[in-house]
Amino acid sequence: MKASELRGKSAAELTTELEALLRAQFSLCMQVATQQLSNSSQLSKVRKDIARVKTVMTQLKRSA
């Protein structure tokens, strides 16, 4: 997911995207804990996506 794609979304869409990413992160953390995660790079990708969404949300708040 790119930041340019996120900037085109509304605040409500960003909030739902953030919730989905947080759920995905929780799921991946549980898979790590139970040693069921085969691709450990997924966790870092989700973390970076969460950071991108939060950054864009902050930018929207400051510009409004």
Side-chain angles (χ1 to χ4, degrees):
M1 175 180 324
K2 294 185 176 184
S4 60
E5 296 172 5
L6 294 173
R7 287 189 183 100
K9 295 185 177 187
S10 68
E13 290 173 331
L14 289 173
T15 303
T16 57
E17 184 73 29
L18 181 61
E19 289 173 0
L21 288 169
L22 289 172
R23 287 189 183 133
Q25 182 185 22
F26 177 77
S27 174
L28 290 172
C29 285
M30 290 299 111
Q31 289 179 17
V32 167
T34 59
Q35 298 178 351
Q36 295 177 349
L37 186 64
S38 59
N39 187 2
S40 60
S41 67
Q42 290 176 334
L43 190 58
S44 64
K45 288 179 184 177
V46 170
R47 284 184 187 152
K48 289 178 183 179
D49 286 342
I50 290 170
R52 283 187 191 102
V53 170
K54 286 184 175 182
T55 300
V56 171
M57 290 175 77
T58 302
Q59 290 173 349
L60 284 176
K61 287 180 184 178
R62 289 185 180 182
S63 66

